[in-house]
Amino acid sequence: MLLSRMPGYLRATAGALLLILTGCAMLPGDMADSGNEIHVREDGNAALAKRGEYPLTLRVGTYADARNLDSPRRAGVATSRILGMAGRDIMLDRDVAEVVAAAARRHFTKAGMQVLTEGETPAQFQLSGTVKDLTINVKERDYVSIAIESTLTETASGKVIWSGVVVEKGDRFAGVSGNNKKDVAEYLKKELGIVMGKTADSILSVLMATRPELFHMVVGIKPVQGVSILSNEVAAASSVVAAPAAETAGGTLVVVSAPSRAKVYVDGIYFGLTPLRAEAVAGVHEVSVRLDGHKPASEKVSVRKGENTELEMKLQR
Protein backbone atom coordinates (compact mmCIF):
# COMPACT_ATOMS: atom_id res chain seq x y z
CA MET A 1 0.00 0.00 0.00
CA LEU A 2 2.82 2.38 0.88
CA LEU A 3 4.61 1.68 -2.41
CA SER A 4 1.47 2.51 -4.39
CA ARG A 5 1.47 6.08 -2.99
CA MET A 6 5.06 6.77 -4.04
CA PRO A 7 6.07 8.44 -7.29
CA GLY A 8 7.05 6.02 -10.05
CA TYR A 9 10.80 6.54 -9.77
CA LEU A 10 10.69 6.03 -5.98
CA ARG A 11 8.61 2.86 -6.35
CA ALA A 12 11.22 1.41 -8.71
CA THR A 13 14.06 2.27 -6.35
CA ALA A 14 12.25 0.88 -3.32
CA GLY A 15 11.35 -2.32 -5.19
CA ALA A 16 14.96 -2.88 -6.20
CA LEU A 17 16.14 -2.27 -2.64
CA LEU A 18 13.58 -4.77 -1.34
CA LEU A 19 14.85 -7.43 -3.74
CA ILE A 20 18.45 -6.81 -2.65
CA LEU A 21 17.56 -7.05 1.03
CA THR A 22 15.56 -10.22 0.43
CA GLY A 23 18.47 -11.78 -1.44
CA CYS A 24 20.92 -10.87 1.33
CA ALA A 25 18.75 -12.67 3.86
CA MET A 26 19.28 -15.91 1.92
CA LEU A 27 22.48 -17.75 1.37
CA PRO A 28 23.84 -18.07 -2.19
CA GLY A 29 21.94 -20.74 -4.05
CA ASP A 30 18.95 -20.81 -1.70
CA MET A 31 16.54 -19.21 -4.20
CA ALA A 32 17.72 -21.46 -7.01
CA ASP A 33 17.85 -24.57 -4.84
CA SER A 34 15.16 -24.75 -2.21
CA GLY A 35 14.73 -28.55 -2.14
CA ASN A 36 15.98 -31.03 0.42
CA GLU A 37 18.88 -32.38 -1.65
CA ILE A 38 22.47 -31.75 -0.60
CA HIS A 39 25.17 -31.77 -3.26
CA VAL A 40 28.19 -33.87 -2.24
CA ARG A 41 30.42 -33.31 -5.24
CA GLU A 42 34.11 -34.05 -5.71
CA ASP A 43 36.42 -31.44 -7.19
CA GLY A 44 37.83 -33.17 -10.25
CA ASN A 45 40.94 -30.96 -10.37
CA ALA A 46 41.90 -31.24 -6.70
CA ALA A 47 43.41 -34.73 -7.03
CA LEU A 48 45.27 -34.35 -10.31
CA ALA A 49 48.55 -33.18 -8.78
CA LYS A 50 49.63 -36.78 -8.03
CA ARG A 51 47.82 -38.51 -10.89
CA GLY A 52 49.91 -41.35 -12.27
CA GLU A 53 52.67 -41.16 -9.66
CA TYR A 54 52.64 -44.96 -9.44
CA PRO A 55 52.65 -47.21 -12.54
CA LEU A 56 49.54 -49.22 -11.74
CA THR A 57 45.99 -48.85 -13.01
CA LEU A 58 42.74 -49.10 -11.08
CA ARG A 59 39.09 -49.04 -12.05
CA VAL A 60 36.45 -48.22 -9.44
CA GLY A 61 33.46 -50.49 -9.90
CA THR A 62 30.08 -50.65 -8.21
CA TYR A 63 29.41 -49.99 -4.54
CA ALA A 64 26.20 -51.65 -3.35
CA ASP A 65 23.89 -49.83 -0.95
CA ALA A 66 23.20 -52.17 2.00
CA ARG A 67 21.68 -49.55 4.32
CA ASN A 68 18.13 -50.92 3.95
CA LEU A 69 16.53 -47.47 3.70
CA ASP A 70 13.48 -46.40 1.74
CA SER A 71 15.57 -44.46 -0.78
CA PRO A 72 19.15 -44.86 -2.06
CA ARG A 73 19.43 -41.07 -1.80
CA ARG A 74 18.43 -40.74 1.84
CA ALA A 75 21.18 -39.29 4.02
CA GLY A 76 19.43 -38.55 7.32
CA VAL A 77 17.02 -36.29 9.17
CA ALA A 78 17.17 -32.77 10.55
CA THR A 79 15.45 -31.80 13.77
CA SER A 80 17.29 -28.46 13.78
CA ARG A 81 16.85 -25.87 11.09
CA ILE A 82 18.97 -26.02 7.92
CA LEU A 83 18.79 -22.81 5.88
CA GLY A 84 17.53 -23.50 2.38
CA MET A 85 15.86 -26.77 3.34
CA ALA A 86 12.21 -27.47 4.09
CA GLY A 87 11.10 -30.44 6.18
CA ARG A 88 13.12 -33.03 8.06
CA ASP A 89 14.47 -35.31 5.32
CA ILE A 90 18.08 -34.85 4.20
CA MET A 91 18.54 -36.31 0.73
CA LEU A 92 21.52 -36.71 -1.59
CA ASP A 93 21.28 -35.42 -5.15
CA ARG A 94 22.52 -38.83 -6.38
CA ASP A 95 22.34 -42.44 -5.19
CA VAL A 96 24.72 -43.08 -2.29
CA ALA A 97 26.61 -45.67 -4.37
CA GLU A 98 27.49 -42.99 -6.93
CA VAL A 99 28.61 -40.56 -4.22
CA VAL A 100 30.91 -43.18 -2.64
CA ALA A 101 32.37 -44.31 -5.98
CA ALA A 102 33.16 -40.68 -6.89
CA ALA A 103 34.92 -40.20 -3.55
CA ALA A 104 36.91 -43.40 -4.13
CA ARG A 105 38.04 -42.24 -7.56
CA ARG A 106 39.21 -38.91 -6.18
CA HIS A 107 41.12 -40.26 -3.21
CA PHE A 108 42.80 -43.13 -5.07
CA THR A 109 43.90 -40.60 -7.69
CA LYS A 110 45.13 -38.35 -4.89
CA ALA A 111 47.11 -41.31 -3.51
CA GLY A 112 48.98 -41.49 -6.82
CA MET A 113 47.23 -44.34 -8.62
CA GLN A 114 46.10 -44.20 -12.23
CA VAL A 115 42.32 -44.39 -11.93
CA LEU A 116 40.76 -45.31 -15.27
CA THR A 117 37.28 -44.41 -16.45
CA GLU A 118 34.88 -46.61 -18.39
CA GLY A 119 36.01 -47.13 -21.98
CA GLU A 120 39.72 -46.91 -21.22
CA THR A 121 42.08 -49.87 -21.48
CA PRO A 122 41.62 -52.73 -18.97
CA ALA A 123 42.91 -51.90 -15.51
CA GLN A 124 45.24 -54.10 -13.45
CA PHE A 125 43.01 -53.85 -10.39
CA GLN A 126 39.30 -53.44 -9.69
CA LEU A 127 37.79 -51.79 -6.60
CA SER A 128 34.23 -52.48 -5.46
CA GLY A 129 32.38 -52.67 -2.19
CA THR A 130 29.35 -52.14 0.00
CA VAL A 131 28.01 -49.06 1.75
CA LYS A 132 26.99 -50.39 5.17
CA ASP A 133 26.26 -46.98 6.66
CA LEU A 134 26.28 -43.39 5.47
CA THR A 135 24.11 -40.99 7.44
CA ILE A 136 24.17 -37.40 8.65
CA ASN A 137 21.64 -36.27 11.25
CA VAL A 138 21.32 -32.63 12.22
CA LYS A 139 20.17 -32.24 15.84
CA GLU A 140 21.68 -30.13 18.61
CA ARG A 141 24.92 -31.17 16.88
CA ASP A 142 25.68 -32.64 13.47
CA TYR A 143 26.26 -36.40 13.64
CA VAL A 144 27.93 -38.39 10.85
CA SER A 145 28.23 -42.19 10.73
CA ILE A 146 29.95 -43.96 7.83
CA ALA A 147 30.95 -47.62 7.36
CA ILE A 148 32.19 -48.75 3.95
CA GLU A 149 33.52 -52.18 3.01
CA SER A 150 35.87 -52.27 0.03
CA THR A 151 37.52 -55.08 -1.91
CA LEU A 152 40.46 -54.84 -4.30
CA THR A 153 40.82 -57.65 -6.85
CA GLU A 154 43.39 -58.37 -9.51
CA THR A 155 41.59 -58.09 -12.83
CA ALA A 156 43.46 -60.84 -14.67
CA SER A 157 43.20 -63.54 -12.00
CA GLY A 158 40.19 -62.40 -9.96
CA LYS A 159 42.32 -62.82 -6.81
CA VAL A 160 41.35 -60.70 -3.80
CA ILE A 161 44.35 -58.54 -2.90
CA TRP A 162 42.76 -56.57 -0.06
CA SER A 163 39.41 -56.46 1.70
CA GLY A 164 38.44 -54.35 4.68
CA VAL A 165 35.91 -52.10 6.37
CA VAL A 166 36.58 -48.50 7.35
CA VAL A 167 34.30 -46.93 9.97
CA GLU A 168 34.16 -43.21 10.74
CA LYS A 169 31.93 -41.49 13.28
CA GLY A 170 32.03 -37.80 14.02
CA ASP A 171 30.04 -34.91 15.37
CA ARG A 172 30.37 -31.15 15.46
CA PHE A 173 28.60 -28.02 16.68
CA ALA A 174 27.36 -26.00 13.74
CA GLY A 175 27.62 -22.71 15.62
CA VAL A 176 25.09 -20.21 16.87
CA SER A 177 24.04 -19.31 13.32
CA GLY A 178 23.21 -22.92 12.49
CA ASN A 179 23.66 -24.81 9.21
CA ASN A 180 22.92 -24.24 5.60
CA LYS A 181 22.77 -26.95 2.93
CA LYS A 182 26.31 -26.33 1.74
CA ASP A 183 27.68 -26.69 5.29
CA VAL A 184 25.97 -30.06 5.70
CA ALA A 185 27.20 -31.29 2.32
CA GLU A 186 30.79 -30.20 3.00
CA TYR A 187 30.84 -31.89 6.41
CA LEU A 188 29.58 -35.17 4.95
CA LYS A 189 32.10 -34.89 2.10
CA LYS A 190 34.94 -34.32 4.59
CA GLU A 191 34.07 -37.40 6.67
CA LEU A 192 33.60 -39.55 3.56
CA GLY A 193 36.99 -38.34 2.36
CA ILE A 194 38.58 -39.59 5.59
CA VAL A 195 37.09 -43.06 5.00
CA MET A 196 38.21 -43.32 1.38
CA GLY A 197 41.60 -41.80 2.19
CA LYS A 198 42.23 -44.49 4.81
CA THR A 199 41.07 -47.15 2.35
CA ALA A 200 43.47 -45.90 -0.31
CA ASP A 201 46.40 -45.68 2.13
CA SER A 202 45.85 -49.21 3.41
CA ILE A 203 45.55 -50.70 -0.07
CA LEU A 204 48.61 -48.82 -1.28
CA SER A 205 50.70 -50.12 1.63
CA VAL A 206 49.66 -53.70 0.83
CA LEU A 207 50.47 -53.32 -2.86
CA MET A 208 53.86 -51.79 -2.07
CA ALA A 209 54.71 -54.68 0.23
CA THR A 210 53.40 -57.52 -1.94
CA ARG A 211 53.97 -56.11 -5.44
CA PRO A 212 57.15 -54.03 -5.13
CA GLU A 213 57.89 -54.50 -8.82
CA LEU A 214 54.93 -52.25 -9.62
CA PHE A 215 56.66 -49.41 -7.78
CA HIS A 216 60.23 -50.13 -8.91
CA MET A 217 61.35 -50.58 -5.32
CA VAL A 218 62.88 -53.23 -3.09
CA VAL A 219 60.74 -53.85 -0.03
CA GLY A 220 61.43 -54.88 3.48
CA ILE A 221 64.40 -57.14 3.94
CA LYS A 222 68.01 -56.36 3.06
CA PRO A 223 70.25 -59.16 1.82
CA VAL A 224 72.76 -60.00 4.57
CA GLN A 225 76.06 -61.64 3.81
CA GLY A 226 76.29 -65.16 5.22
CA VAL A 227 72.51 -65.64 5.55
CA SER A 228 70.74 -68.12 3.28
CA ILE A 229 67.02 -67.40 3.37
CA LEU A 230 64.94 -70.57 3.18
CA SER A 231 61.54 -68.85 3.17
CA ASN A 232 60.14 -65.40 3.70
CA GLU A 233 56.76 -63.70 3.87
CA VAL A 234 55.83 -60.03 4.13
CA ALA A 235 52.93 -59.42 6.52
CA ALA A 236 51.80 -56.43 4.51
CA ALA A 237 48.26 -56.06 5.74
CA SER A 238 49.48 -55.05 9.19
CA SER A 239 52.38 -52.94 7.86
CA VAL A 240 54.85 -55.42 9.41
CA VAL A 241 57.95 -56.54 7.54
CA ALA A 242 58.55 -60.17 8.44
CA ALA A 243 61.94 -61.60 9.32
CA PRO A 244 63.34 -64.58 7.43
CA ALA A 245 62.25 -67.95 8.73
CA ALA A 246 65.84 -68.64 9.70
CA GLU A 247 66.96 -67.00 12.92
CA THR A 248 68.45 -63.54 12.34
CA ALA A 249 71.08 -61.76 14.38
CA GLY A 250 68.98 -58.64 14.78
CA GLY A 251 66.36 -56.80 16.75
CA THR A 252 63.01 -55.13 16.24
CA LEU A 253 62.60 -51.60 14.94
CA VAL A 254 59.39 -49.81 15.93
CA VAL A 255 58.63 -46.53 14.13
CA VAL A 256 55.71 -44.23 14.82
CA SER A 257 55.10 -40.78 13.37
CA ALA A 258 52.89 -37.77 13.88
CA PRO A 259 50.97 -37.62 11.58
CA SER A 260 50.77 -41.36 10.96
CA ARG A 261 50.63 -43.27 7.64
CA ALA A 262 54.05 -41.91 6.63
CA LYS A 263 56.44 -43.93 4.46
CA VAL A 264 59.42 -45.45 6.30
CA TYR A 265 62.78 -46.04 4.63
CA VAL A 266 65.61 -47.88 6.39
CA ASP A 267 68.98 -47.26 4.77
CA GLY A 268 67.11 -46.13 1.66
CA ILE A 269 64.91 -49.24 1.43
CA TYR A 270 61.13 -48.87 1.78
CA PHE A 271 59.79 -50.82 4.77
CA GLY A 272 56.12 -49.74 5.01
CA LEU A 273 53.83 -47.14 6.57
CA THR A 274 53.77 -45.92 10.15
CA PRO A 275 53.02 -47.25 12.67
CA LEU A 276 55.54 -49.91 11.69
CA ARG A 277 57.18 -52.83 13.48
CA ALA A 278 59.94 -54.57 11.52
CA GLU A 279 62.88 -56.89 12.02
CA ALA A 280 66.24 -55.21 11.42
CA VAL A 281 69.81 -56.38 11.40
CA ALA A 282 71.78 -55.33 14.49
CA GLY A 283 73.81 -52.20 13.91
CA VAL A 284 73.40 -48.54 13.04
CA HIS A 285 70.71 -47.65 10.50
CA GLU A 286 69.44 -44.43 9.02
CA VAL A 287 65.64 -44.23 9.27
CA SER A 288 63.81 -41.72 7.06
CA VAL A 289 60.12 -40.87 7.24
CA ARG A 290 58.26 -39.11 4.42
CA LEU A 291 54.71 -37.83 4.10
CA ASP A 292 53.21 -35.65 1.39
CA GLY A 293 52.82 -32.05 2.47
CA HIS A 294 55.45 -32.41 5.24
CA LYS A 295 59.20 -32.04 5.44
CA PRO A 296 61.02 -35.40 5.48
CA ALA A 297 62.67 -36.42 8.74
CA SER A 298 65.57 -38.79 9.29
CA GLU A 299 67.51 -40.11 12.24
CA LYS A 300 70.23 -42.66 12.88
CA VAL A 301 69.39 -45.41 15.34
CA SER A 302 71.27 -48.34 16.80
CA VAL A 303 69.44 -51.66 16.70
CA ARG A 304 70.59 -54.25 19.23
CA LYS A 305 70.18 -57.98 18.95
CA GLY A 306 67.03 -59.28 20.58
CA GLU A 307 65.85 -55.83 21.67
CA ASN A 308 63.17 -53.36 20.59
CA THR A 309 64.37 -50.04 19.24
CA GLU A 310 61.61 -47.44 19.29
CA LEU A 311 61.65 -44.27 17.22
CA GLU A 312 59.08 -41.48 17.22
CA MET A 313 59.24 -38.95 14.39
CA LYS A 314 57.36 -35.65 14.25
CA LEU A 315 56.85 -34.29 10.75
CA GLN A 316 56.67 -30.55 10.15
CA ARG A 317 54.83 -28.83 7.31
Side-chain angles (χ1 to χ4, degrees):
M1 180 67 72
L2 182 60
L3 286 175
S4 64
R5 297 177 182 176
M6 292 182 179
Y9 72 93
L10 288 178
R11 286 201 305 271
T13 302
L17 181 60
L18 182 60
L19 286 174
I20 292 173
L21 291 174
T22 303
C24 290
M26 303 182 72
L27 293 167
D30 282 351
M31 289 184 290
D33 181 14
S34 58
N36 279 27
E37 293 182 348
I38 58 174
H39 304 280
V40 182
R41 296 284 176 172
E42 300 292 339
D43 181 0
N45 296 322
L48 295 181
K50 293 185 64 177
R51 181 176 175 85
E53 178 180 347
Y54 301 120
L56 57 86
T57 56
L58 170 73
R59 178 169 285 110
V60 177
T62 303
Y63 272 82
D65 183 4
R67 299 177 303 157
N68 196 29
L69 299 179
D70 61 337
S71 170
R73 298 191 178 191
R74 181 172 296 281
V77 296
T79 56
S80 295
R81 185 187 178 197
I82 300 176
L83 293 177
M85 181 177 291
R88 295 165 52 94
D89 295 333
I90 303 175
M91 309 295 289
L92 300 170
D93 65 328
R94 298 173 292 166
D95 290 356
V96 68
E98 297 178 46
V99 172
V100 170
R105 283 190 288 269
R106 178 180 185 273
H107 285 277
F108 276 85
T109 300
K110 186 178 179 181
M113 303 183 195
Q114 299 181 41
V115 180
L116 303 183
T117 59
E118 293 299 329
E120 293 188 81
T121 56
Q124 294 166 287
F125 300 97
Q126 175 92 2
L127 182 74
S128 59
T130 302
V131 182
K132 295 179 175 292
D133 187 17
L134 191 148
T135 56
I136 180 165
N137 294 314
V138 177
K139 302 178 182 178
E140 73 283 356
R141 297 176 67 87
D142 301 340
Y143 296 92
V144 167
S145 179
I146 301 174
I148 297 176
E149 179 179 332
S150 298
T151 299
L152 184 78
T153 57
E154 188 175 48
T155 304
S157 65
K159 178 182 178 182
V160 174
I161 304 299
W162 183 97
S163 182
V165 179
V166 180
V167 177
E168 182 74 16
K169 294 182 183 292
D171 63 89
R172 67 168 190 176
F173 177 56
V176 293
S177 60
N179 279 312
N180 60 60
K181 290 173 61 175
K182 184 177 180 181
D183 293 335
V184 174
E186 287 298 316
Y187 183 43
L188 182 58
K189 175 182 172 181
K190 171 180 171 291
E191 296 297 307
L192 178 58
I194 292 174
V195 170
M196 299 317 302
K198 289 181 178 179
T199 303
D201 285 347
S202 182
I203 287 177
L204 188 61
S205 69
V206 169
L207 288 174
M208 282 183 172
T210 59
R211 307 293 177 89
E213 70 279 2
L214 296 176
F215 302 89
H216 305 298
M217 59 173 59
V218 178
V219 177
I221 299 172
K222 293 174 59 177
V224 180
Q225 185 176 5
V227 176
S228 298
I229 298 178
L230 302 179
S231 65
N232 180 48
E233 181 179 355
V234 178
S238 58
S239 295
V240 176
V241 179
E247 183 179 356
T248 59
T252 301
L253 179 64
V254 180
V255 184
V256 296
S257 69
S260 61
R261 310 302 294 171
K263 298 176 182 177
V264 180
Y265 295 82
V266 180
D267 297 330
I269 297 176
Y270 176 75
F271 263 55
L273 299 177
T274 59
L276 179 137
R277 183 182 181 88
E279 296 295 329
V281 177
V284 177
H285 301 278
E286 182 173 5
V287 179
S288 301
V289 179
R290 305 173 193 172
L291 180 65
D292 288 341
H294 297 75
K295 296 178 181 179
S298 62
E299 188 172 330
K300 287 188 177 181
V301 296
S302 178
V303 176
R304 296 183 178 181
K305 180 180 178 181
E307 296 183 6
N308 289 346
T309 300
E310 299 181 357
L311 181 62
E312 182 176 352
M313 310 284 278
K314 293 185 178 180
L315 300 173
Q316 305 294 328
R317 289 189 176 275

